[in-house]
Amino acid sequence: MYRASFSSPLGKLTLYSDGTSITAITMPVWRYQPTSKSRELDSLPVFQQAKTWLENYFTGAANPILPPIHTGGTPFQLQVWHLLQDVPRGSFLTYGELARKLEEITGHRASPRAVGHAVGQNPVAIMIPCHRVLGAGGSLTGFGGGLEAKRFLLDWEGIPYHR
């Protein structure tokens, strides 16, 4: 495992990689930390791709295709995280709406609570935009980077929410 730092308006982000894919992104306050030991190696091409993507995100420029991402996760989590990538910048879904979308795709019942748990396990925040999921009626709910970081990202994108 390798890591590199990225200075953002949100604070220092730490990028993690297996050498070919981004495996995690952590923020200054982050509830989950990668468990594998890592060493600093800023020169990996995937880190350069990720930094370009993040620079574009934070300047409001159109983003190129995501760098390679390998999140691991259960099949359910992977389905939820895939749906998150379809939520455009500047918009949001509620956990209930995300659960209904998942039900439409899989034909299986998905509870908003289970979807919320999967959203909360996303290791690649910002790139897989879990901050764009809100509670019923647009209420602000938890975030692995803390509510202040979620507020920042929602405000950054101009997403309305109930304070």
Side-chain angles (χ1 to χ4, degrees), residues 121-134:
Q121 299 295 311
N122 170 24
V124 189
I126 303 173
M127 287 184 178
I128 296 178
C130 52
H131 61 279
R132 295 179 187 154
V133 184
L134 299 173

Side-chain angles (χ1 to χ4, degrees), residues 13-76:
L13 304 179
T14 304
L15 312 172
Y16 293 87
S17 174
D18 57 11
T20 58
S21 299
I22 298 297
T23 57
I25 299 173
T26 61
M27 298 176 193
V29 174
W30 195 247
R31 126 179 78 192
Y32 307 108
Q33 293 297 325
T35 55
S36 301
K37 292 191 186 275
S38 61
R39 69 180 176 99
E40 189 84 21
L41 186 62
D42 193 58
S43 62
L44 282 176
V46 71
F47 285 147
Q48 300 314 309
Q49 291 172 309
K51 288 178 180 187
T52 297
W53 191 95
L54 288 164
E55 286 168 2
N56 286 341
Y57 172 81
F58 284 112
T59 61
N63 271 327
I65 295 174
L66 284 170
I69 293 175
H70 179 72
T71 56
T74 67
F76 181 76

Side-chain angles (χ1 to χ4, degrees), residues 58-107:
F58 284 112
T59 61
N63 271 327
I65 295 174
L66 284 170
I69 293 175
H70 179 72
T71 56
T74 67
F76 181 76
Q77 288 171 329
L78 293 171
Q79 289 174 318
V80 170
W81 299 338
H82 179 74
L83 286 175
L84 290 176
Q85 292 178 62
D86 293 336
V87 181
R89 182 185 183 113
S91 57
F92 72 92
L93 288 176
T94 66
Y95 293 99
E97 291 168 333
L98 195 56
R100 283 189 291 282
K101 283 184 177 281
L102 190 59
E103 287 175 8
E104 290 172 11
I105 292 169
T106 65

